[in-house]
Amino acid sequence: MACINPDGTISDSAKGMLKLLHSPMTAEQVAQQTGHPLFRVRSSLRELVDGGLVKLEAERYSITEKGKEKIG
């Protein structure tokens, strides 16, 4: 399931993850908070990192300025 659509918009689940990541979290913490399986969360986070919407530092993910712009 893609987080970033071909037109550059993001899915509702991606918006939910971005909102959570105002505070740095591990993939496991995101999975616990969203109720999504860990493999799916990791895949989504990789896509969001590749898109520049999330950054990974010391095994914790956090939203970037570009990500903040996407959720308004």
Side-chain angles (χ1 to χ4, degrees):
M1 184 162 151
C3 287
I4 303 172
N5 300 313
D7 65 358
T9 60
I10 58 173
S11 69
D12 288 340
S13 65
K15 286 179 186 173
M17 277 193 249
L18 290 176
K19 289 177 183 176
L20 281 175
L21 295 173
H22 282 283
S23 298
M25 301 176 88
T26 65
E28 290 81 4
Q29 290 171 319
V30 174
Q32 286 178 333
Q33 292 289 318
T34 61
H36 296 301
L38 182 56
F39 74 90
R40 182 173 166 202
V41 168
R42 285 184 172 147
S43 174
S44 297
L45 288 171
R46 275 193 301 271
E47 187 177 346
L48 293 171
V49 168
D50 290 346
L53 304 178
V54 168
K55 62 183 175 185
L56 174 63
E57 294 177 333
E59 297 185 27
R60 293 188 179 271
Y61 295 89
S62 60
I63 191 168
T64 63
E65 288 302 317
K66 185 177 177 182
K68 290 176 185 175
E69 290 172 10
K70 285 286 184 184
I71 59 172

Coordinates of all heavy atoms in Angstrom, one line a residue:
M1 N 0.8 -1.2 0.0 CA 0.0 0.0 0.0 C 0.9 1.2 0.0 O 1.7 1.4 0.9 CB -0.9 0.0 1.2 CG -1.8 1.1 1.3 SD -3.1 0.6 2.5 CE -3.6 2.0 3.1
A2 N 0.8 2.0 -1.0 CA 1.6 3.2 -1.2 C 1.2 4.3 -0.2 O 0.0 4.5 0.0 CB 1.5 3.7 -2.6
C3 N 2.2 5.0 0.3 CA 1.9 6.1 1.2 C 1.9 7.4 0.4 O 1.1 8.3 0.7 CB 3.1 6.3 2.2 SG 3.0 5.0 3.5
I4 N 2.7 7.5 -0.6 CA 2.8 8.6 -1.5 C 2.3 8.3 -2.9 O 2.8 7.3 -3.5 CB 4.3 9.1 -1.6 CG1 4.8 9.4 -0.2 CG2 4.3 10.4 -2.5 CD1 6.3 9.8 -0.2
N5 N 1.2 8.9 -3.3 CA 0.6 8.6 -4.5 C 1.4 9.3 -5.7 O 2.2 10.2 -5.5 CB -0.9 9.2 -4.5 CG -1.7 8.6 -3.4 OD1 -1.7 7.4 -3.2 ND2 -2.4 9.5 -2.7
P6 N 1.2 8.7 -6.9 CA 1.9 9.3 -8.0 C 1.7 10.8 -8.2 O 2.6 11.5 -8.8 CB 1.3 8.5 -9.2 CG 0.8 7.2 -8.6 CD 0.3 7.6 -7.3
D7 N 0.6 11.3 -7.8 CA 0.4 12.8 -7.9 C 1.0 13.6 -6.8 O 0.9 14.8 -6.7 CB -1.1 13.1 -8.1 CG -1.9 12.7 -6.8 OD1 -1.3 12.2 -5.8 OD2 -3.1 13.0 -6.8
G8 N 1.7 12.9 -5.9 CA 2.4 13.6 -4.8 C 1.6 13.7 -3.5 O 2.1 14.2 -2.5
T9 N 0.3 13.4 -3.6 CA -0.5 13.4 -2.3 C -0.1 12.2 -1.5 O 0.5 11.3 -2.0 CB -2.0 13.4 -2.7 OG1 -2.3 12.2 -3.4 CG2 -2.4 14.7 -3.5
I10 N -0.5 12.2 -0.2 CA -0.2 11.1 0.6 C -1.5 10.5 1.1 O -2.6 11.1 1.2 CB 0.7 11.6 1.8 CG1 0.0 12.7 2.6 CG2 2.0 12.0 1.3 CD1 0.8 13.0 3.9
S11 N -1.4 9.2 1.5 CA -2.6 8.5 2.0 C -3.0 8.9 3.4 O -2.2 9.5 4.1 CB -2.3 7.0 2.0 OG -1.3 6.7 3.0
D12 N -4.2 8.5 3.8 CA -4.7 8.9 5.1 C -3.8 8.2 6.2 O -3.5 8.8 7.2 CB -6.1 8.4 5.3 CG -7.1 9.3 4.5 OD1 -6.7 10.5 4.1 OD2 -8.2 8.9 4.3
S13 N -3.4 7.0 5.9 CA -2.5 6.3 6.9 C -1.2 7.0 7.0 O -0.6 7.1 8.1 CB -2.3 4.8 6.6 OG -1.6 4.6 5.4
A14 N -0.6 7.5 5.9 CA 0.6 8.2 6.0 C 0.4 9.5 6.8 O 1.3 9.9 7.5 CB 1.1 8.5 4.6
K15 N -0.7 10.2 6.6 CA -1.0 11.4 7.3 C -1.0 11.1 8.8 O -0.4 11.9 9.6 CB -2.3 12.0 6.9 CG -2.3 12.7 5.6 CD -3.6 13.3 5.2 CE -3.6 13.8 3.8 NZ -4.9 14.2 3.3
G16 N -1.6 10.0 9.2 CA -1.6 9.6 10.6 C -0.3 9.4 11.2 O 0.0 9.8 12.3
M17 N 0.6 8.7 10.4 CA 2.0 8.5 10.9 C 2.7 9.8 11.0 O 3.5 10.0 12.0 CB 2.7 7.5 9.9 CG 2.4 6.1 10.2 SD 3.6 5.0 9.3 CE 2.4 4.4 8.1
L18 N 2.6 10.7 10.0 CA 3.3 11.9 10.1 C 2.9 12.7 11.3 O 3.7 13.3 12.0 CB 3.0 12.8 8.8 CG 3.7 12.2 7.5 CD1 3.3 13.1 6.3 CD2 5.2 12.2 7.6
K19 N 1.6 12.7 11.6 CA 1.2 13.4 12.8 C 1.8 12.9 14.1 O 2.1 13.6 15.0 CB -0.4 13.4 12.9 CG -1.0 14.3 11.8 CD -2.5 14.2 11.9 CE -3.1 15.0 10.7 NZ -4.6 14.9 10.6
L20 N 2.0 11.5 14.1 CA 2.6 10.9 15.3 C 4.0 11.3 15.5 O 4.6 11.3 16.6 CB 2.5 9.4 15.2 CG 1.2 8.7 15.5 CD1 1.4 7.2 15.2 CD2 0.8 8.9 17.0
L21 N 4.7 11.6 14.3 CA 6.2 11.7 14.3 C 6.6 13.1 14.7 O 7.8 13.5 14.4 CB 6.7 11.2 13.0 CG 6.5 9.7 12.8 CD1 7.0 9.3 11.4 CD2 7.3 8.9 13.8
H22 N 5.7 13.9 15.2 CA 6.2 15.2 15.8 C 7.2 15.0 16.9 O 8.0 15.8 17.2 CB 5.0 16.1 16.2 CG 4.4 16.8 15.0 ND1 4.9 17.9 14.3 CD2 3.2 16.5 14.3 CE1 4.1 18.2 13.3 NE2 3.1 17.4 13.3
S23 N 7.0 13.8 17.6 CA 7.9 13.4 18.6 C 8.6 12.2 18.0 O 8.0 11.3 17.5 CB 7.2 12.9 19.9 OG 6.5 14.0 20.4
P24 N 10.0 12.1 18.0 CA 10.7 11.0 17.4 C 10.2 9.7 18.0 O 10.1 9.6 19.3 CB 12.2 11.3 17.8 CG 12.2 12.8 17.9 CD 10.9 13.1 18.5
M25 N 10.0 8.7 17.2 CA 9.6 7.4 17.6 C 10.3 6.3 16.8 O 10.7 6.5 15.7 CB 8.1 7.2 17.4 CG 7.2 8.2 18.1 SD 5.5 8.1 17.6 CE 5.0 6.9 18.8
T26 N 10.4 5.1 17.4 CA 10.9 3.9 16.7 C 9.7 3.3 15.9 O 8.5 3.7 16.1 CB 11.3 2.8 17.7 OG1 10.2 2.3 18.4 CG2 12.4 3.3 18.6
A27 N 10.1 2.5 14.9 CA 9.0 1.8 14.1 C 8.1 1.0 15.0 O 6.9 1.0 14.8 CB 9.7 0.9 13.1
E28 N 8.6 0.4 16.0 CA 7.8 -0.4 16.9 C 6.8 0.5 17.7 O 5.6 0.1 17.8 CB 8.7 -1.1 18.0 CG 9.5 -2.3 17.4 CD 10.8 -1.8 16.7 OE1 11.1 -0.6 16.7 OE2 11.5 -2.6 16.1
Q29 N 7.2 1.6 18.1 CA 6.3 2.6 18.8 C 5.2 3.0 17.8 O 4.0 3.2 18.2 CB 7.1 3.8 19.3 CG 8.0 3.4 20.5 CD 8.9 4.5 20.9 OE1 9.4 5.2 20.1 NE2 9.0 4.7 22.2
V30 N 5.6 3.3 16.6 CA 4.6 3.7 15.6 C 3.6 2.6 15.4 O 2.3 2.8 15.3 CB 5.2 4.1 14.2 CG1 4.2 4.4 13.2 CG2 6.1 5.3 14.4
A31 N 4.0 1.4 15.3 CA 3.1 0.2 15.1 C 2.2 0.1 16.3 O 1.0 -0.2 16.1 CB 4.0 -1.1 14.9
Q32 N 2.7 0.3 17.5 CA 1.8 0.2 18.7 C 0.8 1.3 18.6 O -0.4 1.1 19.0 CB 2.7 0.3 19.9 CG 3.5 -0.9 20.3 CD 4.3 -0.7 21.5 OE1 4.7 0.4 21.9 NE2 4.6 -1.8 22.2
Q33 N 1.2 2.5 18.3 CA 0.3 3.7 18.3 C -0.8 3.6 17.2 O -1.9 4.0 17.4 CB 1.0 5.0 18.1 CG 1.9 5.3 19.3 CD 1.1 5.7 20.5 OE1 0.1 6.5 20.4 NE2 1.5 5.3 21.7
T34 N -0.4 3.0 16.0 CA -1.4 3.0 14.9 C -2.2 1.7 14.9 O -3.2 1.6 14.2 CB -0.6 3.1 13.5 OG1 0.3 2.0 13.4 CG2 0.1 4.4 13.4
G35 N -1.6 0.6 15.5 CA -2.3 -0.7 15.4 C -2.0 -1.4 14.1 O -2.6 -2.5 13.9
H36 N -1.1 -0.9 13.3 CA -0.7 -1.5 12.0 C 0.4 -2.5 12.3 O 1.2 -2.3 13.2 CB -0.3 -0.5 11.0 CG -1.3 0.5 10.6 ND1 -2.5 0.1 10.0 CD2 -1.4 1.8 10.6 CE1 -3.3 1.1 9.7 NE2 -2.6 2.2 10.1
P37 N 0.5 -3.6 11.5 CA 1.6 -4.5 11.6 C 2.9 -3.9 11.4 O 3.1 -3.0 10.6 CB 1.3 -5.6 10.5 CG -0.1 -5.3 10.0 CD -0.4 -3.9 10.4
L38 N 3.9 -4.3 12.2 CA 5.3 -3.7 12.1 C 5.8 -3.8 10.7 O 6.4 -2.8 10.3 CB 6.2 -4.5 13.1 CG 7.6 -3.9 13.2 CD1 7.6 -2.4 13.6 CD2 8.4 -4.7 14.2
F39 N 5.6 -4.9 9.9 CA 6.2 -4.9 8.6 C 5.6 -3.8 7.7 O 6.3 -3.2 6.9 CB 6.0 -6.3 8.0 CG 4.6 -6.6 7.5 CD1 4.2 -6.3 6.2 CD2 3.7 -7.2 8.4 CE1 2.9 -6.6 5.8 CE2 2.4 -7.5 7.9 CZ 2.0 -7.1 6.7
R40 N 4.4 -3.5 7.9 CA 3.7 -2.5 7.1 C 4.2 -1.1 7.5 O 4.5 -0.2 6.7 CB 2.2 -2.6 7.3 CG 1.5 -1.6 6.4 CD 0.0 -1.8 6.5 NE -0.7 -0.6 5.9 CZ -1.9 -0.2 6.2 NH1 -2.6 -1.0 7.0 NH2 -2.4 0.8 5.7
V41 N 4.4 -0.9 8.8 CA 4.9 0.4 9.3 C 6.3 0.6 8.8 O 6.6 1.7 8.3 CB 4.8 0.4 10.8 CG1 5.6 1.6 11.4 CG2 3.4 0.5 11.3
R42 N 7.1 -0.4 8.8 CA 8.5 -0.2 8.4 C 8.5 0.1 6.9 O 9.3 1.0 6.4 CB 9.3 -1.5 8.6 CG 9.7 -1.6 10.1 CD 10.6 -2.8 10.3 NE 11.1 -2.8 11.7 CZ 11.4 -3.9 12.3 NH1 11.2 -5.1 11.8 NH2 11.8 -3.8 13.6
S43 N 7.7 -0.6 6.1 CA 7.6 -0.3 4.7 C 7.2 1.2 4.4 O 7.7 1.9 3.6 CB 6.7 -1.3 4.0 OG 6.5 -1.0 2.6
S44 N 6.2 1.6 5.1 CA 5.7 2.9 5.0 C 6.7 4.0 5.4 O 6.9 5.0 4.7 CB 4.4 3.1 5.8 OG 3.4 2.3 5.4
L45 N 7.4 3.7 6.5 CA 8.4 4.6 7.0 C 9.5 4.8 6.0 O 10.0 5.9 5.7 CB 8.9 4.2 8.3 CG 7.9 4.4 9.5 CD1 8.5 3.8 10.8 CD2 7.7 5.9 9.7
R46 N 9.9 3.6 5.3 CA 11.0 3.7 4.3 C 10.5 4.6 3.2 O 11.3 5.4 2.6 CB 11.3 2.3 3.8 CG 12.3 1.5 4.6 CD 12.8 0.3 3.9 NE 11.8 -0.6 3.5 CZ 11.3 -1.6 4.3 NH1 11.9 -1.8 5.5 NH2 10.4 -2.4 4.0
E47 N 9.3 4.4 2.7 CA 8.8 5.2 1.6 C 8.7 6.7 2.0 O 9.1 7.6 1.2 CB 7.4 4.7 1.3 CG 6.8 5.4 0.0 CD 5.5 4.9 -0.4 OE1 5.0 3.8 0.1 OE2 4.8 5.6 -1.2
L48 N 8.3 7.0 3.3 CA 8.3 8.4 3.7 C 9.7 9.0 3.8 O 9.9 10.2 3.5 CB 7.5 8.5 5.0 CG 6.0 8.2 4.9 CD1 5.4 8.1 6.3 CD2 5.3 9.2 4.1
V49 N 10.7 8.2 4.2 CA 12.0 8.7 4.3 C 12.5 9.0 2.9 O 13.1 10.0 2.6 CB 13.0 7.6 5.0 CG1 14.4 8.0 4.8 CG2 12.6 7.6 6.5
D50 N 12.3 8.0 2.0 CA 12.7 8.2 0.6 C 12.1 9.5 0.0 O 12.7 10.1 -0.9 CB 12.3 7.0 -0.3 CG 13.2 5.8 0.1 OD1 14.2 5.9 0.7 OD2 12.8 4.7 -0.3
G51 N 10.9 9.8 0.4 CA 10.1 11.0 -0.1 C 10.5 12.2 0.6 O 10.0 13.3 0.2
G52 N 11.4 12.1 1.6 CA 11.9 13.3 2.3 C 10.9 13.9 3.3 O 11.0 15.0 3.8
L53 N 9.8 13.1 3.6 CA 8.8 13.5 4.6 C 9.2 13.2 6.0 O 8.6 13.7 7.0 CB 7.5 12.9 4.2 CG 7.0 13.2 2.8 CD1 5.7 12.5 2.5 CD2 6.9 14.7 2.5
V54 N 10.0 12.2 6.2 CA 10.4 11.7 7.5 C 12.0 11.5 7.5 O 12.5 11.2 6.4 CB 9.7 10.3 7.8 CG1 10.3 9.6 9.0 CG2 8.2 10.6 8.0
K55 N 12.6 11.7 8.6 CA 14.0 11.4 8.7 C 14.3 10.4 9.8 O 13.5 10.3 10.7 CB 14.8 12.7 9.0 CG 14.5 13.4 10.3 CD 15.3 14.7 10.4 CE 14.8 15.4 11.7 NZ 15.5 16.7 11.8
L56 N 15.3 9.6 9.6 CA 15.7 8.6 10.6 C 17.0 9.0 11.2 O 18.0 9.2 10.5 CB 15.8 7.3 9.9 CG 16.3 6.1 10.7 CD1 15.4 5.8 11.9 CD2 16.5 4.8 9.8
E57 N 17.0 9.1 12.6 CA 18.2 9.4 13.3 C 18.2 8.5 14.6 O 17.2 8.5 15.3 CB 18.3 10.9 13.7 CG 18.4 11.8 12.6 CD 18.4 13.3 13.0 OE1 17.7 13.6 14.0 OE2 18.9 14.1 12.2
A58 N 19.3 7.8 14.8 CA 19.5 7.0 16.0 C 18.3 6.0 16.2 O 17.7 5.9 17.3 CB 19.7 7.8 17.2
E59 N 17.8 5.4 15.1 CA 16.7 4.4 15.1 C 15.4 5.0 15.4 O 14.4 4.3 15.8 CB 17.1 3.3 16.0 CG 18.3 2.5 15.5 CD 18.6 1.2 16.3 OE1 17.6 0.7 16.8 OE2 19.7 0.8 16.3
R60 N 15.3 6.4 15.4 CA 14.0 7.0 15.7 C 13.6 7.9 14.4 O 14.4 8.6 13.9 CB 14.1 7.9 16.9 CG 14.2 7.1 18.2 CD 14.1 7.9 19.4 NE 14.3 7.2 20.6 CZ 13.3 6.5 21.2 NH1 12.1 6.7 20.8 NH2 13.5 5.8 22.3
Y61 N 12.3 7.8 14.1 CA 11.8 8.5 13.0 C 11.2 9.8 13.4 O 10.5 9.8 14.5 CB 10.8 7.7 12.2 CG 11.3 6.4 11.6 CD1 11.4 5.2 12.3 CD2 11.8 6.5 10.3 CE1 11.9 4.1 11.7 CE2 12.3 5.3 9.7 CZ 12.4 4.1 10.4 OH 12.9 3.0 9.9
S62 N 11.3 10.9 12.7 CA 10.6 12.1 13.0 C 10.3 12.8 11.7 O 10.9 12.6 10.6 CB 11.5 13.0 13.9 OG 12.7 13.3 13.2
I63 N 9.3 13.7 11.8 CA 8.8 14.4 10.6 C 9.7 15.5 10.2 O 10.4 16.1 11.1 CB 7.3 14.9 10.9 CG1 6.7 15.4 9.6 CG2 7.4 16.0 12.0 CD1 5.2 15.7 9.8
T64 N 9.8 15.7 8.9 CA 10.7 16.8 8.4 C 9.8 18.0 8.1 O 8.6 18.0 8.2 CB 11.4 16.4 7.1 OG1 10.3 16.1 6.1 CG2 12.2 15.2 7.3
E65 N 10.4 19.1 7.7 CA 9.6 20.3 7.4 C 8.8 20.0 6.2 O 7.6 20.5 6.1 CB 10.6 21.5 7.1 CG 11.2 22.1 8.3 CD 10.2 22.6 9.3 OE1 9.2 23.2 9.0 OE2 10.4 22.3 10.5
K66 N 9.3 19.2 5.2 CA 8.5 18.9 4.0 C 7.3 18.0 4.5 O 6.2 18.2 3.9 CB 9.4 18.1 3.1 CG 8.7 17.7 1.8 CD 9.7 17.0 0.8 CE 9.0 16.6 -0.5 NZ 9.9 15.9 -1.4
G67 N 7.5 17.2 5.4 CA 6.4 16.4 5.9 C 5.3 17.2 6.6 O 4.1 17.0 6.5
K68 N 5.8 18.2 7.4 CA 4.9 19.1 8.1 C 4.0 19.9 7.0 O 2.8 20.1 7.3 CB 5.6 20.1 9.0 CG 6.2 19.5 10.2 CD 7.1 20.4 11.0 CE 7.8 19.7 12.1 NZ 8.7 20.6 12.8
E69 N 4.6 20.3 5.9 CA 3.9 21.0 4.9 C 2.8 20.1 4.3 O 1.7 20.6 3.9 CB 4.8 21.4 3.8 CG 5.8 22.5 4.2 CD 6.9 22.8 3.1 OE1 6.8 22.3 2.0 OE2 7.8 23.5 3.5
K70 N 3.1 18.8 4.2 CA 2.1 17.9 3.6 C 0.8 17.7 4.4 O -0.3 17.5 3.9 CB 2.7 16.5 3.4 CG 3.6 16.4 2.2 CD 2.9 16.4 0.9 CE 3.8 16.2 -0.2 NZ 3.1 16.3 -1.5
I71 N 1.0 17.8 5.8 CA -0.2 17.6 6.6 C -0.8 19.0 7.0 O -1.8 19.0 7.7 CB 0.1 16.8 7.9 CG1 1.2 17.4 8.7 CG2 0.5 15.4 7.4 CD1 1.4 16.6 10.1
G72 N -0.2 20.1 6.6 CA -0.7 21.4 6.8 C -0.6 21.8 8.2 O -0.9 22.1 9.2

